[in-house]
Amino acid sequence: VNIVEVLNDAMYSDSHEAIDALAELIESTVHVSDDVDVSIGRMKQLQHILQLDESTFHSKFDAVKLALIETREMSDIVEELVSAVGLQRFRFTEREKLGGHDVCRNLVRIGASVCETWLNLPSQEMHKRVDDGLVHLLLKGAAHPSVNICAIALQALSQLVPATPNLDRELLPILQRRAITPHNISPHGSVSLAETDACGVNYQEFKAFRETTLSDSLLACWRGNSTTYMNSCTSAIEEFCLPTATPDICLHLEAAIFCLEAVALESLQGKELKQYSPQMKRCSESLSSKPRSLIGNPLTLARLCSFVRQ
């Protein structure tokens, strides 16, 4: 039985329960544990399977050798899974259109688990490449309306950025959009926070997501290409502060400032501060000339004060 073929076939199931169980199975099995108790348990299992007495078994196997065998075998399985899971990006798009968000979430769970395992497995290669299909699946997950699905994808993508050329350029625009606090705009142009159903979390949960998972991903993009990052955020602030800007984009401005703050500890100190002084000057000039209506929202005003303080 080819285990990868079985897992691949299962990924095409229309049953939410089947996909959920598959995601849980892959998450729990693709990780090679270095726990001592787990290692002892596997040694006993192998001895039972081979039906060897204890002295004969220990003369041929030890925990280190068993771990090496398991790692080698797991590498082969995960390498095949990387390609197989990458093909699920097409199904992800299809299920998202049909409202199958549970399936989307589990496909991203599978993709993230396989990706993280692949990156962490020992390799003779200096830089591991991950199949483009898997990267695109995770990017689709990051752009999904559900914050929970996005968070799963970002945990893997943050690790992928250093190993994948130009991924930061693809990921950054998605992160900048995700930084915008979910909100509604009334027919009269007033802004209010969105209900939980819109993104799957309430405001406090979104705030926690933004300050942890999203910030980690923003920092990964900044480390990947700090110049592109600073230029992009600066251009966004300039755009949102134009004289023609309307109050309904106040939370877009708040998000753009947040993206700068997320990397402030690394980008606005020492030599980096001098390097990015032109961008900071442009930001300051734009913010000082913004329409007053943009700071009518308390979140935007608070973010602006925080930015000035830093």
Side-chain angles (χ1 to χ4, degrees):
V1 177
N2 187 318
I3 185 63
V4 176
E5 288 184 3
V6 173
L7 295 175
N8 187 41
D9 290 343
M11 279 187 272
Y12 286 94
S13 172
D14 289 326
S15 167
H16 294 175
E17 291 78 8
I19 298 295
D20 184 70
L22 178 63
E24 188 171 342
L25 171 66
I26 290 178
E27 285 176 337
S28 62
T29 55
V30 296
H31 173 65
V32 179
S33 175
D34 56 1
D35 184 88
V36 175
D37 291 335
V38 173
S39 179
I40 293 173
R42 286 173 174 165
M43 290 282 284
K44 291 181 178 178
Q45 287 178 345
L46 182 60
Q47 181 182 346
H48 177 73
I49 292 171
L50 297 178
Q51 296 184 337
L52 297 174
D53 62 77
E54 191 162 344
S55 60
T56 304
F57 176 77
H58 284 289
S59 68
K60 296 182 178 182
F61 296 96
D62 57 34
V64 174
K65 184 179 292 185
L66 179 58
L68 184 62
I69 294 171
E70 287 182 333
T71 300
R72 189 182 300 122
E73 291 179 347
M74 185 59 70
S75 294
D76 293 339
I77 293 173
V78 172
E79 185 174 6
E80 289 187 60
L81 275 176
V82 165
S83 298
V85 175
L87 293 174
Q88 294 299 313
R89 66 189 185 277
F90 302 112
R91 187 156 184 261
F92 181 97
T93 302
E94 172 192 325
R95 298 301 298 189
E96 183 179 4
K97 289 179 180 177
L98 296 174
H101 302 312
D102 284 341
V103 172
C104 290
R105 177 176 60 84
N106 285 312
L107 289 177
V108 172
R109 283 176 63 194
I110 293 169
S113 181
V114 169
C115 176
E116 290 172 3
T117 301
W118 174 242
L119 290 174
N120 292 326
L121 282 169
S123 173
Q124 295 180 345
E125 301 175 27
M126 287 293 293
H127 300 287
K128 278 189 173 183
R129 285 296 305 271
V130 175
D131 182 80
D132 288 343
L134 179 53
V135 175
H136 290 149
L137 170 63
L138 293 172
L139 286 171
K140 288 177 181 291
H144 192 279
S146 167
V147 170
N148 292 318
I149 294 176
C150 172
I152 296 170
L154 290 187
Q155 289 175 357
L157 286 167
S158 295
Q159 297 181 49
L160 266 179
V161 169
T164 309
N166 299 318
L167 177 57
D168 57 281
R169 294 176 182 270
E170 291 186 77
L171 181 57
L172 181 57
I174 296 174
L175 299 179
Q176 290 170 321
R177 290 193 294 272
R178 297 308 316 217
I180 302 171
T181 301
H183 61 281
N184 297 317
I185 301 174
S186 72
H188 304 292
S190 61
V191 177
S192 61
L193 298 183
E195 297 295 330
T196 300
D197 290 345
C199 59
V201 296
N202 59 35
Y203 171 70
Q204 292 300 328
E205 291 168 330
F206 175 80
K207 183 180 177 183
F209 155 76
R210 197 167 72 158
E211 292 176 352
T212 53
T213 305
L214 185 63
S215 291
D216 290 343
S217 297
L218 287 167
L219 197 54
C221 286
W222 183 84
R223 289 169 178 163
N225 192 324
S226 58
T227 300
T228 297
Y229 187 101
M230 294 298 290
N231 286 338
S232 178
C233 291
T234 301
S235 296
I237 289 176
E238 288 177 328
E239 178 184 348
F240 298 141
C241 289
L242 289 173
T244 55
T246 54
D248 59 306
I249 64 165
C250 60
L251 290 180
H252 292 68
L253 175 60
E254 191 270 345
I257 299 173
F258 171 83
C259 290
L260 277 183
E261 277 199 90
V263 301
L265 288 178
E266 291 197 23
S267 65
L268 303 182
Q269 295 184 10
K271 293 185 295 183
E272 285 77 11
L273 178 58
K274 184 177 181 180
Q275 179 181 351
Y276 301 119
S277 57
Q279 289 96 329
M280 298 310 299
K281 180 181 179 182
R282 287 165 54 194
C283 288
S284 299
E285 290 174 347
S286 296
L287 290 169
S288 63
S289 62
K290 68 190 176 308
R292 291 186 60 83
S293 59
L294 286 179
I295 57 173
N297 185 286
L299 293 179
T300 307
L301 179 58
R303 182 63 57 191
L304 179 59
C305 292
S306 175
F307 178 74
V308 171
R309 184 175 67 250
Q310 291 202 36

